[in-house]
Amino acid sequence: MRSMSFFALALLLVLGASASAAGETADRPRVFSVLRLEIDPSGAELSGWQLRADFGKSDARIVGIEGGASPAFTAPPYYDPRALNGGEIVLAALARGQELPTGRTTVAVLHVEHDPSGLPPLEVSELIAVGADGDEIEAAVIQENGAE
Amino acid sequence: MKTILGAILVLVAVAMAMTSAAELKIEGRRIEGVVLDQSTGSPVEFARVQVTRLTGGGPVWSALTDEDGGFEVQALALAGTWRVAVEADGYHEVREGLVLGSTPDPVNLVIRLWSADRERPGEPMIEVRGAGSGVRVLSAARLRSIEAERTALEKLEEAEPGRYAPAEPRDQPGVPGRIQGERDEAKGIAAVRGDDASLAAPGSQATAEGNARVFGQVMRRQAPGTSADAGALSDETLARLAQNSDELWILERTGPRPAPADPDQDPGTGCLVVIDDEQKEIPVPLEHTDVHARIEGYVASVDVRQRFHNPFTQTIEAEYVFPLPHDAAVNDFLMVVGERRIRGIIREKEEAREIYERARQAGYVASLLEQERPNIFRQRVANIEPGHAIEVELHYFNALPYRDGEFEFAFPLVVGPRFNPPGSADPVDAVPRGAVSTHTAVSYLAPDERSGHDVDITVELDAGLKIEQVQSLNHAARVQRDGASRALIDLAAYDRIPNRDFVLRYRVASDAIKSGVLVHREGEEGYFAMMLVPPASLEHLERAPVEFVFVLDCSGSMNGWPMEQSKSAMRRALRQLRPGDSFQIIRFSESASALGAQPVEATAANVERGLDYVDRLQGSGGTMMIEGIKAALDFPHDPERTRIVSFMTDGYIGNEDEIFAAVASRLGDTRIFSFGVGNSVNRHLIEGMARMGRGAVAYIGLDDDLDAVDEFYRIVRHPALSDVTIDWGRMGAKQVFPQRIDDLFVGRPVLLHGRFEGSGQTTVTVRGRAGGQRVTMKVAVDLDAQRRRESLPLLWARSEIQHIADRLAREQDDSLQSRGLDLALNYNLVSDWTSFVAVDASSTVEEPGTRTETVPVPVPEGVKYDTTVRGRGR
């Protein structure tokens, strides 16, 4: 049985990726971008994860949630509407299938609307990752801007 | 002497056919009943009753009625469609159709004859006795239509023997012809093939690849074949077909007829097909809708997938206004772009719309799901490139109503054309395809247009109790039983035209339905649903006299078939009045008028007057329902009687909130029972009026045998359990909806949703009063039950949202709206205040679409386009 341990968060922000085409309202210009979330389970099998985050003081907002690249996590993660209503983002997904990723893998793609100054960093306050036996495992979350 | 002679004649059953029943060796099945004088109700002796199979020739059975008007025709074992003809001296002849499915034995009829010195009524004169019998009556007009089509087929057969497939009853498996039809441009006509049963029953089947129009239904066309010989059809048939603007297709027999492997797949019961005029297939951006429902007990979990595509040469935005159940808790939304699935996000309505508009303008693929009414939604999908497809998926839960012994799963497939009174604040327009509206609008196909949009529906039913019967009311469906309590129901491949509600009813043993509580815990929070079943003892009590006010919608949308059905229901209702009751009949369209200034006593003479009044009613004009409400509720209340107002309407109005407010402000002690008449009624209105009127609902389909009227009397014949109070014991129940139970009617359980704080075992005690007696019911509850029921929090939230909407219809309160918004956001529900939006921000299209293509839909079955759809289209 895997030992249960709390996770460490690594937050690598690859900024500077260009935001996509802009739309505009009378009040404020807005643009849309994509933010990929990757988790590195450090060699352990990743069978599920939950993340709590926000965009800090930015008014960026999620406008779509897509699944990841790994066959186990292609289904779009679920979000907690209550958290969203409170200004936070809580996402979670359980792996499907037998092939659980052990290395760095994209688990979600967030479609985000934000102001043209750039996609703000997602401030992750909590990540829980679980292994094949349901115990927590060490993992890190990485953010990448733009589509894969 | 007369008596003896009559009895002998009945027993002998004069067979006009060459083959007697005995010779046919048909196993015990019979049709019996009585023939009565419509005016006096007295039996008609020596009336000749003939029963003939419509399809494939065969014997004619006949009998003469005895002195009690009774008759009996033996040995009709085969399901199918039959012609019933009744003749008697001094009376109009009756010729109507009878569709027998898996029906009870015997089939019991009441046939009413109209005196020859009176104008012949247009209504069916045959009624089927017995609830839920599965026997349907076809009106004389429909029967004539079927017969005319059969004549056409026979002529075609005569012209080219063997070329056209003859009718094949379902119980005589055969391989039908294929629809190969190609319209003969010169003559504008092709051919007919068909089985009468199919015309009457949704169990009909042409061929999966067929494309035909059957009573307004359009089926998909495949490869055109040879032209038809229109000369084979009579001028009369041609004229009639042309008048109906239907399309006639040839059905050609191809090759030998192998025995079908699976009777359910046997297209044996075909349909009339075909016709004349130019019927254009309109390219629409909605290709297909797939519905997959899983029912556990009385909760349905439903996935709906809509496939949009772009058949045009420019990038488009697709817009589709579509219905869902009025109580659906829509809690999930996905957009599928190729292999990629993007979950939509719940947002405040205006915010979601802004996001969508910005994405659309910037060239992103995006989708937006908005609620226009609790049962009308609008789907928009932006930037679909030519030749590309985008799918959207939504999910909802809803609790299924239990009415009169049956649970009902209803999935609406088309929004009926709404009438909006002048000055309506938030109308839903009914416009021709291509017309522009500044409001939310449903776009309708003209009678000479069709689209390729079709529907798949699959229902996995786990009733949790032994299922006694499963029935699809409006569509052909295949039912596969899986043990005692499970079944899999599929919409038949040949019956996928989205022009009427899919309605599935299942019956479980009535004594198995008991009051009970389901619970679900999420951390410290508990949610429950309680089904409160009225005590059986109510059925032994008789009610006090009632003042019945019947209110008939006589607007244009009711014109024709719905109006006739409504009038038939009225007649049946009037005949069941009791001495001591009083009644009033009100009709409304643009304005309202009544049988008299005041309700009248239910004497035989007054009932006859009422019947005459009903006979003269016609459908035309707008639906100023507010006039009907005023007329029904504004006159002084008779203190000696309970007032029950019964509306009969399709509910095709766009000002529901105004009606709810009017009902709430005028109701007093009145109870409202709403009858929805038609195959795609506005249940939001019908249910809402009954909810506000502390009454109940019933639905009368266009082919129904009017059992709903009998059930209505079953409800009102007994006193309701009133002054209901609930002691929740140690449950710690809170926020329970509905907040008040005014009456608990026989056969109509009430479903309550709430939250709780308690734990362990407890007992809920329900107290009430009925017929002057105190009634107490106890329900045991295990608050620690481990089974998760994810639907309960959502159903609870949806109940409170409905409660808020009801209150907002009659009072202005910003805090209520704020509470509703919070609930919808916290529970991920589409509502008046929230929408789902999804944007694919990964890339943009080359040329953002500026053109919006709405998805036109057929008008509902039985509804006339000309009297309901307004404006100028393409």
Side-chain angles (χ1 to χ4, degrees):
Chain A
M1 186 167 176
R2 280 173 210 281
S3 64
M4 183 170 158
S5 64
F6 277 91
F7 50 85
L9 294 181
L11 198 60
L12 300 177
L13 298 180
V14 183
L15 298 175
S18 63
S20 314
E24 193 167 319
T25 62
D27 299 322
R28 46 183 187 158
R30 307 285 289 172
V31 296
F32 295 91
S33 299
V34 165
L35 176 65
R36 279 187 293 121
L37 293 180
E38 299 175 351
I39 288 180
D40 185 350
S42 307
E45 289 184 318
L46 179 67
S47 70
W49 58 273
Q50 178 174 309
L51 170 149
R52 180 181 294 273
D54 60 54
F55 282 111
K57 292 178 180 172
S58 163
D59 64 354
R61 54 191 166 187
I62 295 179
V63 294
I65 304 170
E66 192 179 340
S70 159
F73 290 102
T74 50
Y78 288 94
Y79 68 94
D80 178 352
R82 227 175 274 227
L84 198 68
N85 193 23
E88 279 192 310
I89 299 163
V90 173
L91 303 174
L94 286 173
R96 297 179 184 186
Q98 299 298 314
E99 289 181 39
L100 301 179
T102 55
R104 179 170 160 170
T105 188
T106 303
V107 293
V109 177
L110 305 185
H111 300 257
V112 184
E113 188 192 41
H114 57 94
D115 67 51
S117 63
L119 179 60
L122 190 63
E123 297 174 5
V124 180
S125 57
E126 185 179 79
L127 172 70
I128 299 172
V130 292
D133 54 8
D135 288 342
E136 286 188 12
I137 58 173
E138 284 192 13
V141 63
I142 303 117
Q143 302 179 46
E144 297 277 3
N145 284 17
E148 209 159 16
Chain B
M1 182 64 187
K2 213 174 181 183
T3 305
I4 295 168
L5 179 61
I8 290 171
L9 286 170
V10 170
L11 288 171
V12 169
V14 182
M16 293 175 64
M18 293 167 62
T19 314
S20 73
E23 287 167 332
L24 281 173
K25 296 180 181 172
I26 296 172
E27 292 171 5
R29 187 73 179 277
R30 68 185 193 276
I31 295 177
E32 64 182 25
V34 293
V35 178
L36 305 174
D37 181 296
Q38 195 280 334
S39 300
T40 64
S42 56
V44 177
E45 193 177 6
F46 295 120
R48 180 184 297 279
V49 181
Q50 292 185 348
V51 182
T52 324
R53 180 146 207 152
L54 271 181
T55 314
V60 176
W61 287 277
S62 99
L64 289 180
T65 54
D66 60 21
E67 63 177 342
D68 297 321
F71 69 90
E72 181 179 305
V73 178
Q74 287 283 358
L76 289 170
L78 302 177
T81 305
W82 303 81
R83 178 194 301 110
V84 179
V86 185
E87 292 175 324
D89 286 346
Y91 291 94
H92 283 293
E93 182 190 7
V94 171
R95 278 171 71 87
E96 290 176 5
L98 204 57
V99 183
L100 306 182
S102 52
T103 52
D105 182 15
V107 175
N108 201 325
L109 305 178
V110 178
I111 302 173
R112 297 176 200 279
L113 301 184
W114 286 75
S115 172
D117 56 10
R118 297 188 53 160
E119 189 182 343
R120 187 193 181 103
E123 62 162 318
M125 288 183 280
I126 300 177
E127 293 173 11
V128 181
R129 283 200 289 219
S133 61
V135 182
R136 292 187 302 156
V137 176
L138 300 176
S139 68
R142 292 193 74 184
L143 183 67
R144 281 197 298 276
S145 170
I146 295 168
E147 290 174 332
E149 285 138 11
R150 283 191 52 75
T151 303
L153 172 62
E154 284 164 11
K155 290 190 175 185
L156 286 168
E157 285 282 346
E158 207 174 295
E160 290 183 78
R163 177 173 175 179
Y164 303 101
E168 296 286 349
R170 283 194 75 76
D171 51 359
Q172 295 177 6
V175 168
R178 296 180 56 190
I179 297 175
Q180 277 203 337
E182 179 178 333
R183 211 175 37 254
D184 184 321
E185 292 293 341
K187 296 170 182 170
I189 190 133
V192 188
R193 167 228 172 232
D195 172 359
D196 324 301
S198 69
L199 289 172
S204 64
Q205 181 167 339
T207 54
E209 69 271 31
N211 184 9
R213 192 177 168 87
V214 184
F215 287 129
Q217 304 164 34
V218 178
M219 301 165 98
R220 189 177 298 279
R221 176 169 58 136
Q222 190 96 355
T226 55
S227 296
D229 179 4
L233 298 176
S234 70
D235 291 341
E236 186 185 349
T237 304
L238 288 171
R240 182 182 57 75
L241 296 177
Q243 190 177 17
N244 290 346
S245 296
D246 284 330
E247 187 170 10
L248 187 62
W249 291 91
I250 291 179
L251 296 166
E252 186 175 21
R253 181 159 51 210
T254 53
R257 300 179 167 204
D262 177 357
D264 282 336
Q265 294 302 316
D266 168 28
T269 72
C271 41
L272 150 66
V273 194
V274 212
I275 308 193
D276 82 319
D277 236 5
E278 183 69 17
Q279 192 185 35
K280 302 180 287 284
E281 179 152 336
I282 305 300
V284 298
L286 178 61
E287 203 169 49
H288 185 73
T289 299
D290 191 79
V291 181
H292 187 163
R294 293 165 301 280
I295 298 172
E296 272 193 53
Y298 55 80
V299 176
S301 169
V302 184
D303 290 304
V304 181
R305 174 182 275 231
Q306 298 165 339
R307 179 178 174 82
F308 294 89
H309 75 137
N310 183 353
F312 307 104
T313 54
Q314 296 170 267
T315 300
I316 61 163
E317 177 196 36
E319 181 180 282
Y320 178 37
V321 178
F322 66 101
L324 287 175
H326 66 281
D327 57 350
V330 182
N331 73 315
D332 201 7
F333 179 76
L334 288 127
M335 177 170 73
V336 184
V337 184
E339 298 294 313
R340 300 166 47 236
R341 299 162 62 77
I342 300 171
R343 172 156 281 121
I345 310 291
I346 198 80
R347 296 284 180 193
E348 281 192 54
K349 197 168 196 171
E350 196 53 41
E351 181 188 5
R353 193 177 295 175
E354 287 172 3
I355 292 170
Y356 173 83
E357 285 297 344
R358 285 194 290 269
R360 185 179 69 81
Q361 287 168 22
Y364 293 99
V365 171
S367 52
L368 176 70
L369 177 66
E370 295 180 304
Q371 176 180 308
E372 300 296 336
R373 296 286 188 278
N375 61 342
I376 301 178
F377 293 77
R378 177 158 65 157
Q379 181 69 65
R380 296 171 69 188
V381 182
N383 292 312
I384 311 175
E385 293 184 285
H388 287 224
I390 309 287
E391 293 187 345
V392 293
E393 297 175 9
L394 60 92
H395 173 269
Y396 73 83
F397 288 108
N398 74 327
L400 306 186
Y402 180 80
R403 288 193 287 264
D404 311 318
E406 293 178 318
F407 286 100
E408 179 180 283
F409 170 78
F411 187 84
L413 289 169
V414 65
V415 176
R418 305 291 201 253
F419 174 84
N420 304 286
S424 292
D426 182 23
V428 176
D429 286 343
V431 299
R433 179 182 67 84
V436 176
S437 172
T438 52
H439 312 291
T440 301
V442 183
S443 168
Y444 290 96
L445 292 162
D448 63 350
E449 296 174 335
R450 62 166 179 264
S451 78
H453 170 221
D454 64 1
V455 179
D456 264 338
I457 299 178
T458 307
V459 180
E460 294 175 39
L461 170 59
D462 181 357
L465 298 165
K466 185 183 176 187
I467 301 169
E468 292 185 342
Q469 187 185 34
V470 181
Q471 190 183 10
S472 166
L473 267 62
N474 297 334
H475 290 82
R478 186 171 61 168
V479 178
Q480 295 171 273
R481 300 295 287 266
D482 176 16
S485 63
R486 293 167 182 264
L488 178 67
I489 300 97
D490 285 312
L491 186 64
Y494 48 85
D495 199 8
R496 294 178 173 174
I497 315 303
N499 68 344
R500 58 205 188 277
D501 296 352
F502 176 81
V503 180
L504 188 76
R505 290 186 186 156
Y506 57 97
R507 180 181 292 275
V508 296
S510 56
D511 56 0
I513 298 293
K514 293 183 169 59
S515 294
V517 178
L518 302 177
V519 299
H520 169 81
R521 276 189 182 280
E522 281 187 3
E524 294 302 305
E525 296 189 57
Y527 297 85
F528 72 91
M530 177 176 182
M531 181 178 270
L532 188 52
V533 179
S537 59
L538 292 181
E539 299 195 34
H540 303 301
L541 301 172
E542 287 296 312
R543 65 164 168 79
V546 174
E547 178 184 72
F548 288 99
V549 181
F550 299 103
V551 188
L552 271 77
D553 178 353
C554 294
S555 63
S557 63
M558 294 287 289
N559 182 277
W561 198 358
M563 193 70 220
E564 290 309 313
Q565 189 72 332
S566 196
K567 287 162 71 172
S568 297
M570 263 306 309
R571 293 185 186 101
R572 185 179 282 206
L574 288 173
R575 290 188 185 110
Q576 295 190 44
L577 293 172
R578 290 181 172 185
D581 292 338
S582 63
F583 72 99
Q584 171 68 291
I585 304 172
I586 293 167
R587 61 151 299 283
F588 73 90
S589 53
E590 302 282 358
S591 59
S593 56
L595 172 68
Q598 298 292 332
V600 294
E601 297 287 329
T603 62
N606 284 334
V607 168
E608 186 64 23
R609 236 181 90 205
L611 290 168
D612 284 344
Y613 183 78
V614 169
D615 287 346
R616 292 195 298 273
L617 296 177
Q618 290 184 327
S620 67
T623 317
M624 298 296 289
M625 183 170 269
I626 193 74
E627 300 302 323
I629 299 279
K630 288 178 187 170
L633 298 177
D634 281 358
F635 64 86
H637 186 186
D638 177 352
E640 300 300 315
R641 296 178 171 98
T642 303
R643 181 192 287 177
I644 291 178
V645 175
S646 296
F647 285 87
M648 291 192 183
T649 177
D650 54 22
Y652 290 164
I653 58 165
N655 61 328
E656 293 98 329
D657 282 351
E658 186 188 357
I659 297 303
F660 294 153
V663 167
S665 66
R666 291 175 160 83
L667 188 68
D669 291 332
T670 301
R671 298 289 185 268
I672 291 181
F673 286 72
S674 313
F675 287 91
V677 181
N679 288 349
S680 309
V681 301
N682 179 359
R683 291 180 184 232
H684 167 48
L685 178 79
I686 308 289
E687 303 268 350
M689 287 172 65
R691 193 171 60 246
M692 295 212 164
R694 296 167 293 179
V697 300
Y699 293 98
I700 302 174
L702 297 178
D703 281 329
D704 277 4
D705 48 14
L706 305 178
D707 287 345
V709 178
D710 299 337
E711 294 299 342
F712 163 65
Y713 277 99
R714 185 169 164 255
I715 292 171
V716 299
R717 190 170 292 143
H718 309 289
L721 187 68
S722 56
D723 303 328
V724 177
T725 60
I726 302 177
D727 176 350
W728 296 100
R730 294 193 305 277
M731 202 165 158
K734 58 182 185 179
Q735 296 169 285
V736 181
F737 301 99
Q739 287 187 329
R740 249 176 46 175
I741 304 171
D742 293 287
D743 291 321
L744 196 54
F745 296 102
V746 167
R748 299 298 177 99
V750 168
L751 194 58
L752 299 141
H753 294 281
R755 302 174 72 174
F756 68 91
E757 295 170 332
S759 60
Q761 320 286 315
T762 190
T763 300
V764 175
T765 307
V766 181
R767 297 185 179 87
R769 199 176 271 281
Q773 300 175 16
R774 286 180 173 280
V775 176
T776 301
M777 297 184 288
K778 292 187 179 296
V779 182
V781 186
D782 177 7
L783 299 173
D784 297 333
Q786 294 300 306
R787 183 171 173 186
R788 294 186 64 77
R789 301 179 190 275
E790 312 286 353
S791 61
L792 293 189
L794 296 160
L795 293 175
W796 167 80
R798 184 67 185 74
S799 296
E800 183 169 355
I801 286 173
Q802 180 176 281
H803 168 77
I804 290 169
D806 285 352
R807 284 188 59 187
L808 284 173
R810 52 181 196 263
E811 60 184 291
Q812 277 291 333
D813 186 340
D814 290 345
S815 67
L816 278 176
Q817 191 157 325
S818 175
R819 167 69 181 160
L821 171 63
D822 244 17
L823 270 172
L825 289 173
N826 286 341
Y827 287 83
N828 222 39
L829 295 175
V830 179
S831 69
D832 262 356
W833 315 287
T834 50
S835 306
F836 275 115
V837 64
V839 178
D840 177 5
S842 61
S843 63
T844 55
V845 297
E846 283 184 12
E847 288 184 28
T850 54
R851 172 178 162 187
T852 298
E853 283 291 330
T854 57
V855 176
V857 297
V859 293
E861 184 177 44
V863 175
K864 293 184 176 173
Y865 177 92
D866 294 341
T867 57
T868 54
V869 179
R870 291 168 178 80
R872 186 182 290 268
R874 279 178 189 156

